[in-house]
């Protein structure tokens, strides 16, 4: 289903959504065209710091920036999220401040983002069935913290 047209207001700031990234060079409110050297840079736009992240040669930096944007045009940041809200390396996640466990309104996936998953803890020859039988904890208890229920040995 097609998206309805945006109502545009003078002076408003807009962002490029993930579905528009493939056409970022055509989006009139994007800074891409000026940063990449395809259009005159507005006075209020600063691009020096961004381009210097690629190289100090301005023309090479613009080429590298265009290449960088085109490589990520079809990438989705949602695929690499951790704990529903964090995007970053393992060291970034490990350095996050510890969440207060009393904040029950914050989902456990967000509070316990650095906790390893069962798949990370188990060796290839182990499986969840073996673990839950050995520790007499229901499967629900393994996947839902605090909801472990003893099961009858069998």
């Amino acid at each position: 289903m097609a998206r309805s047209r945006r109502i545009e207001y003078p002076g408003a700031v807009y962002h490029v959504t993930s579905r528009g990234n493939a056409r970022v060079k055509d989006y009139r409110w994007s800074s891409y065209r000026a940063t990449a050297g395809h259009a005159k840079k507005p006075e209020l736009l600063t691009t020096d710091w961004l381009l210097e992240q690629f190289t100090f040669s301005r023309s090479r930096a613009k080429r590298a920036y265009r290449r960088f944007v085109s490589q990520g045009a079809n990438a989705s940041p949602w695929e690499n999220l951790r704990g529903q809200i964090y995007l970053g390396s393992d060291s970034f996640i490990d350095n996050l401040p510890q969440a207060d466990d009393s904040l029950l309104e914050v989902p456990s996936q967000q509070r316990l983002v650095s906790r390893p998953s069962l798949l990370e803890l188990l060796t290839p020859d182990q499986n969840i069935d073996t673990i839950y039988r050995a520790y007499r904890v229901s499967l629900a208890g393994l996947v839902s913290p605090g909801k472990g229920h003893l099961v009858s040995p069998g």
Side-chain angles (χ1 to χ4, degrees), residues 34-56:
T35 306
H38 294 311
K40 184 178 179 206
K41 183 173 73 77
E43 219 175 288
L44 61 95
L45 180 64
T46 59
T47 60
D48 294 340
W49 180 87
L50 176 64
L51 291 172
E52 285 172 3
Q53 303 311 301
F54 296 95
T55 184
F56 288 104

Side-chain angles (χ1 to χ4, degrees), residues 68-90:
F68 173 78
V69 171
S70 69
Q71 288 171 346
N74 296 318
S76 171
W78 310 117
E79 295 169 4
N80 297 317
L81 280 183
R82 305 250 318 261
Q84 300 176 330
I85 58 172
Y86 300 106
L87 182 61
S89 66
D90 288 340

Side-chain angles (χ1 to χ4, degrees), residues 4-136:
S4 59
R5 289 187 54 79
R6 179 196 321 261
I7 299 172
E8 295 179 357
Y9 300 95
V13 177
Y14 301 99
H15 68 280
V16 178
T17 61
S18 61
R19 73 176 153 235
N21 286 344
R23 299 180 310 272
V24 69
K25 70 180 188 313
D26 300 326
Y27 188 67
R28 113 185 215 200
W29 298 109
S30 170
S31 62
Y32 171 81
R33 292 181 51 71
T35 306
H38 294 311
K40 184 178 179 206
K41 183 173 73 77
E43 219 175 288
L44 61 95
L45 180 64
T46 59
T47 60
D48 294 340
W49 180 87
L50 176 64
L51 291 172
E52 285 172 3
Q53 303 311 301
F54 296 95
T55 184
F56 288 104
S57 163
R58 196 140 186 91
S59 60
R60 287 194 351 224
K62 287 178 183 180
R63 282 194 304 273
Y65 172 72
R66 289 191 298 264
R67 192 169 41 254
F68 173 78
V69 171
S70 69
Q71 288 171 346
N74 296 318
S76 171
W78 310 117
E79 295 169 4
N80 297 317
L81 280 183
R82 305 250 318 261
Q84 300 176 330
I85 58 172
Y86 300 106
L87 182 61
S89 66
D90 288 340
S91 64
F92 171 78
I93 299 296
D94 291 342
N95 286 311
L96 290 172
Q98 291 297 313
D100 184 352
D101 281 339
S102 67
L103 299 173
L104 297 179
E105 67 272 9
V106 178
S108 61
Q109 283 187 314
Q110 295 173 14
R111 282 185 287 121
L112 306 172
V113 67
S114 60
R115 180 177 68 175
S117 71
L118 281 176
L119 294 176
E120 293 169 325
L121 293 174
L122 299 176
T123 60
D125 60 328
Q126 295 174 312
N127 62 48
I128 291 176
D129 184 58
T130 304
I131 301 298
Y132 102 90
R133 286 184 195 281
Y135 291 96
R136 295 180 36 193

